[in-house]
Amino acid sequence: MGIVLAGIALLLLLIVLSVGGRSADQQPRHTLPRELQGAKLFLCEPKENIATLKPFPLHGRPDEVYERDGELVVLDTKTRSKDRIYKADVVKLSGYAAILRNGDAFKRYRCAPHGFIRLVNRDTGWVSFHRVALLSDAELIKINNRRLALRAGQADPRFSSNRQYCRGCGQRQRCTRVAA
């Protein structure tokens, strides 16, 4: 009897220790946010781009799109060492949502005004989900107009606080504050 109780105590201790290091928003890889639990997986890394011409030509392949009660929710996965969401993540997710809002193939659905970013910690494997407000078509048009003006040399590039973006920027040669 004593061995059985010791075994149960050890098992409980292991369970407590395995759960203890996680923050509230981190969950095992297979667990979706409550809002998406029970939703139908509508798209999963489609082989072909989805596209629209409105609000301007857009195409892409979202990681996952879920459908519940006629509403589509887009989810993108990022693997990083830091649990951080960047503006570029929200812009990308918003672009996918714009395709879903405006694409002829998705007319019978509503697109949620929010999406999710699943962050997978590169070092630990822990997963966290971040619900983010998506940009409107008008906000995406403004970003696209700036992109077009930069490419035409009609706008000055701005320094990014994220050095990774500066390293890969096509405007790096013209930028007055290039990150080292």
mmCIF file of all heavy atoms in Angstrom, residues 81-101:
data_model
loop_
_atom_site.group_PDB
_atom_site.id
_atom_site.type_symbol
_atom_site.label_atom_id
_atom_site.label_comp_id
_atom_site.label_asym_id
_atom_site.label_seq_id
_atom_site.Cartn_x
_atom_site.Cartn_y
_atom_site.Cartn_z
ATOM 1 N N SER A 81 12.497 32.911 -30.742
ATOM 2 C CA SER A 81 13.021 32.736 -29.388
ATOM 3 C C SER A 81 12.285 33.627 -28.394
ATOM 4 O O SER A 81 12.205 33.310 -27.216
ATOM 5 C CB SER A 81 14.517 33.054 -29.348
ATOM 6 O OG SER A 81 15.217 32.108 -30.124
ATOM 7 N N LYS A 82 11.757 34.763 -28.876
ATOM 8 C CA LYS A 82 11.054 35.703 -27.999
ATOM 9 C C LYS A 82 9.563 35.647 -28.272
ATOM 10 O O LYS A 82 9.133 35.558 -29.414
ATOM 11 C CB LYS A 82 11.565 37.128 -28.212
ATOM 12 C CG LYS A 82 12.985 37.320 -27.777
ATOM 13 C CD LYS A 82 13.411 38.750 -27.966
ATOM 14 C CE LYS A 82 14.857 38.931 -27.525
ATOM 15 N NZ LYS A 82 15.314 40.298 -27.718
ATOM 16 N N ASP A 83 8.779 35.769 -27.221
ATOM 17 C CA ASP A 83 7.330 35.781 -27.320
ATOM 18 C C ASP A 83 6.885 37.205 -27.631
ATOM 19 O O ASP A 83 6.476 37.956 -26.749
ATOM 20 C CB ASP A 83 6.734 35.283 -25.996
ATOM 21 C CG ASP A 83 5.243 35.035 -26.093
ATOM 22 O OD1 ASP A 83 4.738 34.841 -27.212
ATOM 23 O OD2 ASP A 83 4.585 35.043 -25.044
ATOM 24 N N ARG A 84 7.029 37.589 -28.920
ATOM 25 C CA ARG A 84 6.762 38.976 -29.318
ATOM 26 C C ARG A 84 6.072 39.004 -30.675
ATOM 27 O O ARG A 84 6.442 38.269 -31.585
ATOM 28 C CB ARG A 84 8.081 39.735 -29.386
ATOM 29 C CG ARG A 84 7.888 41.176 -29.733
ATOM 30 C CD ARG A 84 9.133 41.987 -29.580
ATOM 31 N NE ARG A 84 8.861 43.349 -30.019
ATOM 32 C CZ ARG A 84 9.759 44.246 -30.207
ATOM 33 N NH1 ARG A 84 11.020 43.974 -29.969
ATOM 34 N NH2 ARG A 84 9.437 45.451 -30.612
ATOM 35 N N ILE A 85 5.092 39.890 -30.773
ATOM 36 C CA ILE A 85 4.375 40.115 -32.030
ATOM 37 C C ILE A 85 4.873 41.424 -32.624
ATOM 38 O O ILE A 85 4.996 42.427 -31.932
ATOM 39 C CB ILE A 85 2.852 40.229 -31.776
ATOM 40 C CG1 ILE A 85 2.317 38.982 -31.082
ATOM 41 C CG2 ILE A 85 2.103 40.494 -33.070
ATOM 42 C CD1 ILE A 85 2.404 37.731 -31.870
ATOM 43 N N TYR A 86 5.145 41.408 -33.920
ATOM 44 C CA TYR A 86 5.596 42.606 -34.621
ATOM 45 C C TYR A 86 4.460 43.162 -35.482
ATOM 46 O O TYR A 86 3.542 42.433 -35.870
ATOM 47 C CB TYR A 86 6.802 42.290 -35.507
ATOM 48 C CG TYR A 86 8.009 41.849 -34.732
ATOM 49 C CD1 TYR A 86 8.349 40.503 -34.659
ATOM 50 C CD2 TYR A 86 8.796 42.767 -34.042
ATOM 51 C CE1 TYR A 86 9.461 40.091 -33.933
ATOM 52 C CE2 TYR A 86 9.901 42.362 -33.315
ATOM 53 C CZ TYR A 86 10.228 41.019 -33.265
ATOM 54 O OH TYR A 86 11.318 40.620 -32.545
ATOM 55 N N LYS A 87 4.562 44.443 -35.812
ATOM 56 C CA LYS A 87 3.564 45.077 -36.673
ATOM 57 C C LYS A 87 3.459 44.335 -38.010
ATOM 58 O O LYS A 87 2.369 44.155 -38.544
ATOM 59 C CB LYS A 87 3.902 46.550 -36.903
ATOM 60 C CG LYS A 87 2.866 47.264 -37.731
ATOM 61 C CD LYS A 87 3.174 48.738 -37.908
ATOM 62 C CE LYS A 87 2.108 49.372 -38.774
ATOM 63 N NZ LYS A 87 2.362 50.790 -38.996
ATOM 64 N N ALA A 88 4.590 43.890 -38.527
ATOM 65 C CA ALA A 88 4.596 43.165 -39.800
ATOM 66 C C ALA A 88 3.767 41.879 -39.712
ATOM 67 O O ALA A 88 3.146 41.467 -40.701
ATOM 68 C CB ALA A 88 6.021 42.843 -40.226
ATOM 69 N N ASP A 89 3.729 41.245 -38.538
ATOM 70 C CA ASP A 89 2.903 40.049 -38.353
ATOM 71 C C ASP A 89 1.425 40.389 -38.525
ATOM 72 O O ASP A 89 0.677 39.653 -39.171
ATOM 73 C CB ASP A 89 3.103 39.450 -36.952
ATOM 74 C CG ASP A 89 4.531 39.013 -36.674
ATOM 75 O OD1 ASP A 89 5.255 38.660 -37.625
ATOM 76 O OD2 ASP A 89 4.925 39.027 -35.489
ATOM 77 N N VAL A 90 1.029 41.519 -37.942
ATOM 78 C CA VAL A 90 -0.373 41.948 -38.016
ATOM 79 C C VAL A 90 -0.725 42.365 -39.440
ATOM 80 O O VAL A 90 -1.810 42.066 -39.935
ATOM 81 C CB VAL A 90 -0.657 43.081 -37.005
ATOM 82 C CG1 VAL A 90 -2.084 43.595 -37.130
ATOM 83 C CG2 VAL A 90 -0.387 42.598 -35.580
ATOM 84 N N VAL A 91 0.203 43.026 -40.130
ATOM 85 C CA VAL A 91 -0.034 43.431 -41.519
ATOM 86 C C VAL A 91 -0.227 42.197 -42.393
ATOM 87 O O VAL A 91 -1.164 42.126 -43.203
ATOM 88 C CB VAL A 91 1.115 44.318 -42.051
ATOM 89 C CG1 VAL A 91 0.976 44.558 -43.548
ATOM 90 C CG2 VAL A 91 1.166 45.643 -41.295
ATOM 91 N N LYS A 92 0.629 41.199 -42.211
ATOM 92 C CA LYS A 92 0.521 39.965 -43.006
ATOM 93 C C LYS A 92 -0.815 39.264 -42.738
ATOM 94 O O LYS A 92 -1.516 38.869 -43.673
ATOM 95 C CB LYS A 92 1.690 39.039 -42.667
ATOM 96 C CG LYS A 92 1.695 37.749 -43.446
ATOM 97 C CD LYS A 92 2.911 36.914 -43.067
ATOM 98 C CE LYS A 92 2.910 35.575 -43.755
ATOM 99 N NZ LYS A 92 4.027 34.744 -43.326
ATOM 100 N N LEU A 93 -1.166 39.117 -41.479
ATOM 101 C CA LEU A 93 -2.425 38.478 -41.116
ATOM 102 C C LEU A 93 -3.611 39.273 -41.667
ATOM 103 O O LEU A 93 -4.585 38.698 -42.164
ATOM 104 C CB LEU A 93 -2.507 38.378 -39.594
ATOM 105 C CG LEU A 93 -3.392 37.311 -38.995
ATOM 106 C CD1 LEU A 93 -2.922 35.914 -39.366
ATOM 107 C CD2 LEU A 93 -3.406 37.446 -37.485
ATOM 108 N N SER A 94 -3.512 40.599 -41.621
ATOM 109 C CA SER A 94 -4.565 41.467 -42.147
ATOM 110 C C SER A 94 -4.697 41.327 -43.659
ATOM 111 O O SER A 94 -5.810 41.419 -44.200
ATOM 112 C CB SER A 94 -4.285 42.921 -41.777
ATOM 113 O OG SER A 94 -4.264 43.078 -40.378
ATOM 114 N N GLY A 95 -3.579 41.117 -44.341
ATOM 115 C CA GLY A 95 -3.625 40.877 -45.785
ATOM 116 C C GLY A 95 -4.389 39.612 -46.120
ATOM 117 O O GLY A 95 -5.210 39.579 -47.042
ATOM 118 N N TYR A 96 -4.140 38.548 -45.362
ATOM 119 C CA TYR A 96 -4.902 37.311 -45.560
ATOM 120 C C TYR A 96 -6.388 37.558 -45.323
ATOM 121 O O TYR A 96 -7.240 37.070 -46.072
ATOM 122 C CB TYR A 96 -4.422 36.209 -44.610
ATOM 123 C CG TYR A 96 -3.017 35.724 -44.855
ATOM 124 C CD1 TYR A 96 -2.216 35.345 -43.789
ATOM 125 C CD2 TYR A 96 -2.479 35.627 -46.131
ATOM 126 C CE1 TYR A 96 -0.926 34.886 -43.983
ATOM 127 C CE2 TYR A 96 -1.189 35.177 -46.346
ATOM 128 C CZ TYR A 96 -0.416 34.809 -45.259
ATOM 129 O OH TYR A 96 0.873 34.346 -45.461
ATOM 130 N N ALA A 97 -6.702 38.307 -44.272
ATOM 131 C CA ALA A 97 -8.108 38.604 -43.972
ATOM 132 C C ALA A 97 -8.736 39.430 -45.097
ATOM 133 O O ALA A 97 -9.904 39.211 -45.447
ATOM 134 C CB ALA A 97 -8.215 39.331 -42.638
ATOM 135 N N ALA A 98 -7.986 40.359 -45.675
ATOM 136 C CA ALA A 98 -8.508 41.162 -46.786
ATOM 137 C C ALA A 98 -8.832 40.275 -47.984
ATOM 138 O O ALA A 98 -9.848 40.474 -48.659
ATOM 139 C CB ALA A 98 -7.503 42.246 -47.180
ATOM 140 N N ILE A 99 -7.996 39.281 -48.227
ATOM 141 C CA ILE A 99 -8.272 38.334 -49.310
ATOM 142 C C ILE A 99 -9.580 37.592 -49.022
ATOM 143 O O ILE A 99 -10.426 37.427 -49.899
ATOM 144 C CB ILE A 99 -7.106 37.343 -49.493
ATOM 145 C CG1 ILE A 99 -5.846 38.082 -49.958
ATOM 146 C CG2 ILE A 99 -7.486 36.245 -50.480
ATOM 147 C CD1 ILE A 99 -4.576 37.240 -49.895
ATOM 148 N N LEU A 100 -9.745 37.167 -47.774
ATOM 149 C CA LEU A 100 -10.965 36.444 -47.408
ATOM 150 C C LEU A 100 -12.197 37.353 -47.480
ATOM 151 O O LEU A 100 -13.267 36.921 -47.893
ATOM 152 C CB LEU A 100 -10.829 35.865 -45.995
ATOM 153 C CG LEU A 100 -9.746 34.801 -45.827
ATOM 154 C CD1 LEU A 100 -9.567 34.465 -44.350
ATOM 155 C CD2 LEU A 100 -10.050 33.559 -46.633
ATOM 156 N N ARG A 101 -12.049 38.622 -47.086
ATOM 157 C CA ARG A 101 -13.174 39.572 -47.124
ATOM 158 C C ARG A 101 -13.605 39.902 -48.546
ATOM 159 O O ARG A 101 -14.780 40.107 -48.818
ATOM 160 C CB ARG A 101 -12.776 40.906 -46.461
ATOM 161 C CG ARG A 101 -12.979 40.985 -45.001
ATOM 162 C CD ARG A 101 -12.848 42.418 -44.488
ATOM 163 N NE ARG A 101 -11.613 43.094 -44.814
ATOM 164 C CZ ARG A 101 -10.498 43.042 -44.079
ATOM 165 N NH1 ARG A 101 -10.472 42.341 -42.967
ATOM 166 N NH2 ARG A 101 -9.422 43.703 -44.446
#
